[in-house]
Amino acid sequence: MEVQERIMDTAFSLFRQFGTRSITMDDIAERMGISKKTLYAHFTDKDDMVCQTIGRFINIVTEDCMEDRKKSKDAIDELFLVMDMLDRRLRNMNPVIVLDLQKFHSKAYQLFLDYQNNILATMIRENMERGISEEVYRPDIDIKILTQYRIHGCMICFQPEVFPGANDMNKVQKVLLENFLYGVASVKGYRLIEEYKQLSQNK
């Protein structure tokens, strides 16, 4: 792995735990056992590091979602696989990170918004179209409205004030996705949801 990638991995590990605001370049250099000069050889400043680090994470998650789509048996299986992937990727993530991006790192926050409004929206829409064609989702669902509904459902777990006392954002995400699935599922899809839930619980 290149030095720049290792720096981004270390930085993201700290950002996900504590947010971006409270982590300094000194903290990252100390965690890696390198000089700040080495950091600045790869990044213009902290804002540049945050932007590249968030961009890299978005790319990794997007690639994982594409792989899950390829190996899934149907649209519902795809979402269960994505849910497992997000459980690994978002585990122990502090939701304050998005608020920090919004307040202090406008370029990185714009990357996040672009992902939300383009890549994520496309994946959600295509999953619903797939589910309808496979007859696991109801044919009468409004894809346009439900795409926006699902996008905001994905993002709401980054708003800790909405779920006071819920420290596990993955649990929030799972509950919201499960209820979304029940809402769009056909009778055939409902049976598949129950089947995949059972398999997931037995892992």
Side-chain angles (χ1 to χ4, degrees):
M1 187 183 292
E2 294 183 4
V3 173
Q4 188 171 9
E5 290 179 333
R6 287 196 290 109
I7 293 171
M8 286 191 284
D9 282 348
T10 301
F12 189 73
S13 176
L14 292 169
F15 295 156
R16 68 183 292 157
Q17 287 179 268
F18 307 107
T20 61
R21 186 184 184 189
S22 62
I23 298 300
T24 65
M25 297 293 264
D26 284 310
D27 293 329
I28 296 165
E30 182 178 346
R31 174 65 67 92
M32 294 194 69
I34 60 176
S35 67
K36 278 205 299 183
K37 183 178 179 181
T38 303
L39 296 184
Y40 288 114
H42 295 279
F43 304 95
T44 307
D45 50 26
K46 180 183 171 182
D47 193 54
D48 179 43
M49 178 186 287
V50 170
C51 193
Q52 290 198 50
T53 300
I54 294 301
R56 182 166 185 258
F57 179 71
I58 286 171
N59 289 338
I60 289 170
V61 168
T62 301
E63 288 172 8
D64 284 349
C65 286
M66 295 300 182
E67 283 301 310
D68 287 337
R69 175 184 293 180
K70 287 178 186 176
K71 65 186 180 185
S72 61
K73 296 187 283 290
D74 51 66
I76 292 174
D77 186 36
E78 179 185 337
L79 291 190
F80 271 85
L81 291 172
V82 167
M83 194 160 37
D84 286 344
M85 179 273 292
L86 290 177
D87 184 49
R88 296 191 305 273
R89 294 291 184 191
L90 300 181
R91 190 171 297 154
N92 301 322
M93 183 176 285
N94 190 333
V96 76
I97 187 171
V98 174
L99 187 61
D100 282 355
L101 296 183
Q102 188 175 5
K103 285 185 174 181
F104 308 110
H105 304 284
S106 58
K107 287 183 179 178
Y109 186 62
Q110 190 57 53
L111 280 178
F112 183 75
L113 290 180
D114 288 344
Y115 165 75
Q116 174 183 312
N117 296 324
N118 296 295
I119 298 171
L120 181 59
T122 299
M123 288 190 293
I124 291 169
R125 188 189 73 247
E126 290 177 351
N127 176 267
M128 282 192 278
E129 291 169 347
R130 176 185 180 184
I132 291 171
S133 70
E134 294 171 340
E135 299 182 347
V136 297
Y137 296 162
R138 292 183 290 107
D140 61 333
I141 62 174
D142 189 315
I143 290 177
K144 187 174 182 181
I145 291 174
L146 287 175
T147 295
Q148 291 303 311
Y149 174 78
R150 181 65 196 131
I151 287 170
H152 291 284
C154 291
M155 297 304 149
I156 202 169
C157 65
F158 291 101
Q159 301 174 40
E161 71 279 5
V162 177
F163 300 101
N167 298 320
D168 187 350
M169 58 189 288
N170 285 326
K171 183 179 180 181
V172 172
Q173 192 69 261
K174 284 183 177 181
V175 170
L176 294 176
L177 177 55
E178 187 175 294
N179 278 272
F180 172 79
L181 276 172
Y182 280 122
V184 299
S186 63
V187 173
K188 175 183 174 182
Y190 186 95
R191 288 196 295 266
L192 281 174
I193 294 170
E194 293 297 302
E195 180 183 321
Y196 291 136
K197 276 179 65 178
Q198 191 65 43
L199 288 171
S200 179
Q201 290 166 4
N202 291 336
K203 283 183 179 177

